[in-house]
Amino acid sequence: MDPDSFRAVFRRVVERVKSSRVKLRKSLSQHITASPRVVNWVLENVDRSAVTLEVGSGTGILTYFLCRAVKAPVLAVEIDSAFANLSREVVSCRNAVVLVGDALDLEITADQVVSSVPYAISGRLLSKIARSNSVRRAVLILQREVVDRMLSNPGEDAYGRLSVLVKLLFDVTPGPLFHSTEFYPRPKVESRGVVLVRKRVYDDEVALVEELTRALFPFRRKILGGVVERVFKVDREELGRIGLNWSTRVYELSEGDLLRLAEYLRSRGIL
């Protein structure tokens, strides 16, 4: 058997996990990548010349193949010290470093983020990537429902604050569905790949839209005119001045609509 094949690496990882008695922790959404299809999809979509941050090295299976494909430095951050030590043993790659830490507490300076994202931090990690302008590309595996939210359009049930933020900043390309059997232990939900390529930086204008959606989207199914009057004390008829229909429901507003409304409220000194 080729020692660098997925099957061989997976077998070595399972043996090490058993011998070291490392336990997978539900609280950290820990799973072992058990399918070469997952690894192959990631490798097909990464920029192999980009300095890369991997969030959650886990047992090191993905890191093993990632650092051999990417020619630039790879920094893998793992919150669980036992798993970080296991990753170091498995990876053994000159351009890779595995650190113990919480990626959510780090300032991201890498060009690219790769992660089979721990489910418990999906939203917070996406927000951090969005605000980290050094990140030009992200190759992620997430819960299917999170990817659905990122892809959703105005007026659809899944459309919300995450949809707006991601679409403002990135070109979003969905990847394949990954069945629960492709991870161990089996998660209760399906996963899906997604590739984000930055199209604009996170700036004051985007921050203002985030502030606006934070105020509006708790009333996502309400009529915009009524919400604006209640929250911002602005007469609904004023919305026509910026091309918005007051009878539109909040969750029907596009990213462009929200940008215009945010700028208008800022010009009035309200936001």
Side-chain angles (χ1 to χ4, degrees):
M1 184 187 302
D2 180 357
D4 288 327
S5 69
F6 180 87
R7 184 179 176 187
V9 175
F10 180 75
R11 180 176 293 179
R12 292 201 297 273
V13 165
V14 171
E15 288 172 354
R16 280 190 168 93
V17 168
K18 289 180 178 178
S19 64
S20 63
R21 297 182 179 178
V22 172
K23 292 186 177 180
L24 297 164
R25 294 163 61 184
K26 275 189 176 182
S27 62
L28 296 178
S29 306
Q30 290 176 334
H31 300 277
I32 300 175
T33 300
S35 167
R37 196 170 74 99
V38 175
V39 172
N40 291 339
W41 177 80
V42 170
L43 299 185
E44 287 167 4
N45 285 280
V46 294
D47 179 347
R48 299 192 176 207
S49 64
V51 175
T52 300
L53 170 67
E54 184 192 7
V55 176
S57 63
T59 57
I61 289 181
L62 179 56
T63 320
Y64 180 94
F65 293 99
L66 182 64
C67 67
R68 285 160 173 78
V70 174
K71 304 309 176 187
V74 174
L75 173 63
V77 178
E78 171 56 50
I79 197 170
D80 187 322
S81 59
F83 269 66
N85 290 332
L86 182 62
S87 292
R88 293 188 188 105
E89 294 175 14
V90 170
V91 172
S92 184
C93 197
R94 289 184 178 181
N95 63 322
V97 176
V98 179
L99 295 180
V100 179
D102 187 342
L104 297 176
D105 293 335
L106 299 178
E107 178 183 355
I108 299 179
T109 59
D111 305 319
Q112 174 173 252
V113 174
V114 174
S115 184
S116 180
V117 182
Y119 294 163
I121 67 167
S122 297
R124 287 176 290 163
L125 180 61
L126 286 166
S127 294
K128 190 171 186 68
I129 290 170
R131 297 185 182 103
S132 301
N133 286 326
S134 67
V135 179
R136 297 182 289 102
R137 187 180 191 88
V139 181
L140 308 171
I141 298 170
L142 294 150
Q143 305 103 301
R144 179 180 181 176
E145 67 175 72
V146 174
V147 178
D148 288 346
R149 285 163 56 198
M150 294 162 68
L151 294 170
S152 62
N153 295 309
E156 295 178 347
D157 287 343
Y159 185 71
R161 295 186 61 222
L162 179 64
S163 322
V164 173
L165 178 63
V166 170
K167 288 191 171 188
L168 274 174
L169 297 173
F170 299 100
D171 289 322
V172 183
T173 303
L177 292 175
F178 296 110
H179 193 265
S180 60
T181 56
E182 297 182 87
F183 304 90
Y184 177 82
R186 293 185 183 185
K188 294 180 179 179
V189 297
E190 286 191 329
S191 301
R192 189 172 189 179
V194 66
V195 179
L196 307 179
V197 178
R198 188 174 295 275
K199 62 184 179 182
R200 70 172 289 171
V201 298
Y202 186 95
D203 54 18
D204 290 344
E205 191 174 36
V206 178
L208 202 66
V209 171
E210 273 210 286
E211 186 178 346
L212 176 61
T213 58
R214 194 175 295 115
L216 291 182
F217 272 80
F219 312 99
R220 61 189 311 275
R221 293 207 177 257
K222 299 294 185 181
I223 297 296
L224 177 63
V227 175
V228 167
E229 287 180 340
R230 182 190 313 171
V231 175
F232 299 113
K233 312 305 179 188
V234 172
D235 189 282
R236 65 183 64 194
E237 299 300 335
E238 293 189 38
L239 295 173
R241 297 179 183 179
I242 54 172
L244 296 178
N245 188 330
W246 66 261
S247 64
T248 300
R249 297 191 183 274
V250 168
Y251 79 114
E252 295 174 332
L253 294 170
S254 69
E255 307 93 76
D257 294 335
L258 290 160
L259 279 167
R260 291 201 309 279
L261 180 55
E263 180 56 39
Y264 174 71
L265 292 173
R266 177 166 63 177
S267 71
R268 292 278 309 275
I270 298 170
L271 195 60

